[in-house]
Amino acid sequence: MDKAAICSLEDVSKLYRVKKGFFSGKTSLIRALNRVNLDIKREEILGLVGESGCGKSTLARLVLGLERPTSGQIRFEGVDLSALKGRELRGFRKRAQMVFQDPFSSLNPKKTIFKIISQPLKIHNICPKEQLRNEVRRLLQMAGFSNPGVEDRYPHEFSGGQRQRIGIARALATRPDLVVLDEPTSALDVSIQAQIINLILDLQASNRISCLFISHDLPIVEFVSHRIVVMYRGTICEIMPRRAFMLSGRGENSSPHHPYTKFLMKSIPVPRPQEEPGCEKKGAEGQDTKALPASHDKIRAGCLFYSRCPERLGFCGRQEPMPVEVSKGHIINCHLFHFSKKEQSPK
Ligand SMILES: Nc1ncnc2c1ncn2[C@@H]1O[C@H](COP(=O)(O)OP(=O)(O)OP(=O)(O)O)[C@@H](O)[C@H]1O
Ligand SMILES: [Mg+2]
């Protein structure tokens, strides 16, 4: 069943102007996001993957209204974020929250856990003053802290995983409808990662929240997400339901993918490559030898992945690809699929 979008991005671009050098007065433009069209549906976890610098955090900041797009619109429940002011903007801030990557720097070391979690409760007038302590305890319990007195301790008294759970409790304090998690587990130990992931899954289901889950870790993204978006240099390459992502069956994967998605999938280390059909050349060799590094990419028109794409056709460097729906909810932004659909090959 398709659920309505809680947040939608329509043709969103974000450009940053940066100085060319420390002493240079010249500037250049960085296109962090390039005409992104995307829906975050109600009660879904939307996974977002892509290499470093592809624009994931920029997209997160725009969705939360922390920055404005250079062009295009972002709507939250149909309302344009750029039109929100005063009370309406505060109302939106209450309903859209963020969990940060680094649990060490995201909590103020000078404040007790009570102060940290009660702050959003006070700002948004969520409960009367005399009930603040009970509400903070309830939130901490939800995040797995059952010992009394936890709220009177300081952040430095907790481990990384515990701090991240406190960060999650703080994000849920305003009872948000949308939570953006920007690499919430990447600073944590592998054993703690599983704890945090399970907590996120439990809380998302019990509170019926929509989540944008950003990560570099493809297996984690596959595990938590209902749908997955793959981004490359500010553009969306592919949007797919989890069943089409299927990392576990990489060898005999029957779903078609964008060449960049395949490239990302191939980069995952495999413990016993000889036991996985079709995965004999994993690890460093698994990287495609024809692929060029991003810095060699001088293509201005056409597909942005052109110079690194092992399946490129001459045509791909000249014309921008359009999205093709290869199966229900599975969209690939690549010329190869247009041509296979029309059963003709370009020159
Ligand atoms: N405030 C800013 N000023 C100038 N450039 C910026 C700014 N924020 C982001 N960028 C640039 O925009 C691009 C996308 O950055 P972003 O932080 O969104 O990437 P990312 O996908 O989150 O990377 P990572 O996985 O490393 O966190 C990068 O080239 C970055 O240098
Ligand atoms: Mg980032």
Side-chain angles (χ1 to χ4, degrees):
M1 188 184 71
D2 260 7
K3 290 183 175 161
I6 187 162
C7 179
S8 43
L9 288 85
E10 293 162 20
D11 228 15
V12 169
S13 295
K14 179 72 184 173
L15 280 81
Y16 291 109
R17 188 168 286 283
V18 288
K19 274 179 110 179
K20 277 192 164 173
F22 191 72
F23 296 107
S24 165
K26 290 183 184 163
T27 59
S28 63
L29 280 176
I30 291 182
R31 191 173 283 271
L33 289 180
N34 186 25
R35 303 184 63 188
V36 169
N37 286 292
L38 183 67
D39 280 350
I40 305 172
K41 295 181 185 171
R42 281 185 193 281
E43 297 174 37
E44 84 165 344
I45 302 184
L46 181 66
L48 175 58
V49 294
E51 65 195 20
S52 191
C54 73
K56 303 182 293 298
S57 300
T58 304
L59 192 143
R61 289 194 297 274
L62 296 188
V63 162
L64 289 168
L66 302 175
E67 285 180 31
R68 288 193 173 186
T70 310
S71 62
Q73 279 189 330
I74 302 177
R75 295 178 189 277
F76 184 79
E77 292 189 330
V79 179
D80 186 354
L81 285 191
S82 63
L84 296 180
K85 285 191 186 86
R87 236 174 71 182
E88 286 166 339
L89 184 60
R90 274 200 303 282
F92 166 72
R93 296 235 183 280
K94 180 178 157 204
R95 299 185 60 195
Q97 291 287 326
M98 173 130 191
V99 173
F100 297 91
Q101 172 179 8
D102 186 0
F104 294 91
S105 60
S106 61
L107 303 178
N108 187 338
K110 292 184 186 157
K111 290 187 175 172
T112 62
I113 304 307
F114 174 74
K115 280 204 169 150
I116 289 170
I117 299 183
S118 62
Q119 194 175 28
L121 295 171
K122 282 192 220 160
I123 291 172
H124 294 290
N125 261 332
I126 286 169
C127 66
K129 214 174 165 190
E130 58 280 8
Q131 284 174 26
L132 274 178
R133 193 157 282 269
N134 279 345
E135 181 60 7
V136 169
R137 281 191 188 141
R138 186 188 73 81
L139 288 161
L140 284 169
Q141 237 167 30
M142 218 161 70
F145 293 97
S146 46
N147 296 350
V150 172
E151 68 274 17
D152 294 321
R153 289 160 63 186
Y154 285 86
H156 74 267
E157 298 174 51
F158 295 90
S159 69
Q162 287 172 327
R163 286 189 214 203
Q164 195 58 304
R165 286 196 272 138
I166 293 165
I168 291 171
R170 178 181 56 183
L172 296 185
T174 60
R175 298 175 195 177
D177 297 295
L178 173 67
V179 177
V180 175
L181 303 112
D182 193 352
E183 309 205 28
T185 57
S186 59
L188 305 174
D189 203 82
V190 181
S191 58
I192 307 295
Q193 282 184 4
Q195 234 184 56
I196 299 293
I197 292 298
N198 288 331
L199 177 70
I200 292 169
L201 287 175
D202 279 356
L203 294 177
Q204 185 270 335
S206 55
N207 295 285
R208 307 174 78 180
I209 301 168
S210 310
C211 292
L212 176 63
F213 186 96
I214 299 172
S215 178
H216 281 114
D217 193 322
L218 266 54
I220 288 187
V221 169
E222 184 198 15
F223 184 70
V224 301
S225 313
H226 298 115
R227 288 190 307 142
I228 292 144
V229 180
V230 181
M231 264 186 32
Y232 179 71
R233 290 181 59 190
T235 56
I236 291 184
C237 299
E238 190 167 348
I239 305 176
M240 68 202 116
R242 176 177 25 201
R243 65 174 185 285
F245 200 56
M246 254 181 27
L247 289 175
S248 46
R250 267 178 291 169
E252 63 271 23
N253 192 349
S254 56
S255 285
H257 288 298
H258 190 285
Y260 178 62
T261 310
K262 288 195 243 175
F263 183 77
L264 281 183
M265 286 173 162
K266 276 187 190 171
S267 318
I268 304 170
V270 178
R272 285 180 217 88
Q274 64 281 11
E275 287 172 23
E276 283 210 25
C279 291
E280 294 82 1
K281 288 187 178 174
K282 285 285 150 11
E285 273 184 75
Q287 303 284 345
D288 229 305
T289 46
K290 280 190 210 160
L292 298 171
S295 55
H296 286 220
D297 204 339
K298 293 206 168 68
I299 300 296
R300 304 264 169 215
C303 174
L304 289 173
F305 191 54
Y306 174 75
S307 66
R308 295 174 75 187
C309 182
E311 297 172 54
R312 63 181 176 251
L313 304 163
F315 180 84
C316 300
R318 296 194 294 271
Q319 195 169 318
E320 205 178 318
M322 297 295 285
V324 182
E325 187 160 23
V326 292
S327 60
K328 194 170 184 299
H330 186 176
I331 296 160
I332 305 181
N333 203 4
C334 173
H335 284 303
L336 295 172
F337 295 89
H338 263 291
F339 296 123
S340 62
K341 230 181 175 179
K342 288 182 193 163
E343 289 178 359
Q344 61 175 44
S345 176
K347 296 276 174 294

